[in-house]
Amino acid sequence: MYNNQFWGNLPDGRPADIITLTSSAGAVAEVSNFGGIIRSLTIPMPDGTCRSVVLGYPTLAEYVADTCYHGATIGPYANRIRGGRFTLDGVCYTLEQNEGNNSLHSGSSGWQHDLFDYEADGEALVLKRRSPDGEGGFPGNVDCTIRFFWQDPMTFAISYHAETDKATILSMTNHSYFNLGGDDTILTHTLQIHADGYTPVDAELLPTGEIAPVAGTAFDFCAMRPVAQAYDHNFARTGGSGPAATLVSSDGKLQMDVCTDKPGVQLYTGEFLSAPFAPYGGLCLETQHFPDTPNIPAFPSAVVRPGEAYAFTTTFGFSVL
């Protein structure tokens, strides 16, 4: 079921809406055309209750003021770019430096801060936006389409598609903070990430360029184990047809499988969340290209050229245990 309603006005007066997508099992997603935000995601439980599994604010004003990217669709480039610059085809492009000397999540002109056009496609929500050449320092007129839908009664999907008229870089993701219930924090959730390697970072949380093995380290989530501590790190996926990551609630009653065809999964455990949320109140599993990929040739390329389509899908499949 698809239903849209007015949510509120942005500071410039433009109206933003909330679109509700309900699966045949009664699972419900609330998505806004402002920032492609997933405001709410609720899963029906056997006892007749519905469990909220993402952190969300009640009002649009709180999202406008938010600095933690709650539920937002990040674009054109998620994560960090060193020095706020990159070189492509011999041209140096300068981006906003919004985290020290570096660019994080494309800066203040990132797509998560703007209003998308939208339409229904059956029971799916389709968001559309054109990013003009030079916006935020990124090259190319980029036409982006993001589709939110229930792939099956308990699997929520986000499909991304973009095309450009000039060589550019793209790495989109969704920045929802998940807490599957059963505890106030996610530190006692159990997690498995299908990744043999991770990208070590320096003091600025930027990758050193190495892909290091996880075996024998605190980054080894090859087997299910408690989250236990703070992370803000990218994992290099093993590949294959199975889930990229599996998360289980602290009470062991709900599981989420994350599937994607992107090379990286950024695990962020919400260490710096603040009121009304608690530190470690939710974690992100951001499917994307590696951080700072445009400046590290050894990483899988994030370059998209005219005539090529940037396209991938991430699904969040829920199972009651």
Side-chain angles (χ1 to χ4, degrees), residues 161-164 170 304-312:
H161 184 276
E163 296 181 355
T164 181
L170 289 171
V304 181
R305 299 186 180 277
E308 300 175 348
Y310 170 89
F312 80 100

Side-chain angles (χ1 to χ4, degrees), residues 194-196 236-245 258-263:
H194 293 278
D196 292 334
R237 290 188 53 231
T238 305
S241 58
V258 182
C259 295
T260 187
D261 51 6
K262 300 311 287 181

Side-chain angles (χ1 to χ4, degrees), residues 109-183:
S109 62
W111 301 346
Q112 62 272 14
H113 302 298
D114 202 5
L115 197 67
F116 287 78
D117 296 326
Y118 77 93
E119 63 187 19
D121 179 13
E123 295 188 352
L125 165 65
V126 180
L127 302 183
K128 295 183 177 181
R129 187 182 190 277
R130 164 163 276 212
S131 179
D133 184 23
E135 182 179 57
F138 291 90
N141 294 298
V142 178
D143 291 302
C144 173
T145 301
I146 310 158
R147 193 168 182 262
F148 297 83
F149 59 101
W150 288 102
Q151 188 177 75
D152 63 42
M154 294 284 275
T155 301
F156 192 63
I158 310 175
S159 290
Y160 305 82
H161 184 276
E163 296 181 355
T164 181
D165 63 359
K166 183 188 294 186
T168 193
I169 58 170
L170 289 171
S171 181
M172 299 181 67
T173 196
N174 182 267
H175 205 284
S176 288
Y177 290 84
F178 291 95
N179 186 322
L180 303 187
D183 207 336

Side-chain angles (χ1 to χ4, degrees), residues 1-2 20-29 42-44 123 149-156:
M1 182 186 305
Y2 173 103
T20 303
L21 307 172
T22 306
S23 80
S24 60
V28 180
T42 56
I43 304 299
E123 295 188 352
F149 59 101
W150 288 102
Q151 188 177 75
D152 63 42
M154 294 284 275
T155 301
F156 192 63

Side-chain angles (χ1 to χ4, degrees), residues 22-99:
T22 306
S23 80
S24 60
V28 180
E30 292 183 342
V31 183
S32 179
N33 63 322
F34 172 66
I37 289 165
I38 299 176
R39 184 180 77 162
S40 174
L41 192 60
T42 56
I43 304 299
M45 300 296 287
D47 63 1
T49 63
C50 286
R51 184 171 287 194
S52 176
V53 298
V54 299
L55 305 185
Y57 298 109
T59 68
L60 176 61
E62 289 169 295
Y63 281 99
V64 172
D66 177 44
T67 58
C68 291
Y69 308 95
H70 280 274
T73 295
I74 308 295
Y77 200 92
N79 220 303
R80 296 172 174 88
I81 296 180
R82 186 180 296 277
R85 60 175 55 91
F86 67 94
T87 299
L88 178 58
D89 295 340
V91 179
C92 182
Y93 295 95
T94 301
L95 313 175
E96 179 183 348
Q97 296 175 332
N98 64 320
E99 188 187 58

Side-chain angles (χ1 to χ4, degrees), residues 236-320:
R237 290 188 53 231
T238 305
S241 58
T246 297
L247 183 68
V248 176
S249 61
S250 300
D251 63 5
K253 294 182 178 180
L254 187 62
Q255 175 173 308
M256 180 179 73
D257 292 311
V258 182
C259 295
T260 187
D261 51 6
K262 300 311 287 181
V265 176
Q266 181 86 9
L267 170 63
Y268 174 52
T269 51
E271 178 183 3
F272 298 107
L273 289 176
S274 57
F277 310 108
Y280 305 108
L283 64 76
C284 301
L285 291 164
E286 305 162 54
T287 59
Q288 56 190 17
H289 280 288
F290 298 175
D292 202 32
T293 281
N295 293 314
I296 303 177
F299 286 176
S301 175
V303 174
V304 181
R305 299 186 180 277
E308 300 175 348
Y310 170 89
F312 80 100
T313 297
T314 294
T315 62
F316 305 93
F318 296 91
S319 304
V320 175

